[in-house]
Amino acid sequence: VLQSSSLHSNSQQGFQYSRAILVENELFLSELQAFARAKAAAGYSQEELQETFAFLLFDKEEEAQRVCQSGLRVNSSDISTL
């Protein structure tokens, strides 16, 4: 999934991943669901409401753990590799 998710085909072979972890956080999930309900009520289409995924690349495991605990908000981090 990671290899095929690259936006640019020449990037697909540029990275080697040692491990990927799916993080599920109930608090963040409930926030996402409330956000989606509000957007649906405002008339957004199913296509606009469809979930998509992104992957963050961390230099250190501690950075990943911090994001998993506190979440990632706009302008709240210096993480720039998506």
Side-chain angles (χ1 to χ4, degrees):
V1 172
L2 290 172
Q3 293 295 94
S4 64
S5 296
S6 297
L7 290 177
H8 302 287
S9 59
N10 55 346
S11 296
Q12 291 178 351
Q13 302 306 318
F15 295 96
Q16 288 187 329
Y17 305 97
S18 58
R19 146 176 90 145
I21 300 170
L22 174 63
V23 175
E24 294 185 22
N25 181 308
E26 291 299 321
L27 175 61
F28 298 151
L29 183 58
S30 65
E31 288 180 11
L32 174 63
Q33 291 168 341
F35 178 80
R37 283 192 301 273
K39 293 297 181 183
Y44 282 71
S45 70
Q46 284 301 313
E47 183 179 358
E48 291 172 307
L49 295 173
Q50 183 177 1
E51 289 185 18
T52 57
F53 297 90
F55 303 93
L56 294 172
L57 178 63
F58 295 97
D59 292 325
K60 298 178 183 169
E61 187 171 341
E62 294 81 23
E63 294 173 337
Q65 290 172 346
R66 189 169 43 253
V67 168
C68 292
Q69 291 172 352
S70 63
L72 188 62
R73 304 279 193 244
V74 174
N75 295 326
S76 69
S77 175
D78 58 355
I79 297 170
S80 60
T81 305
L82 180 64

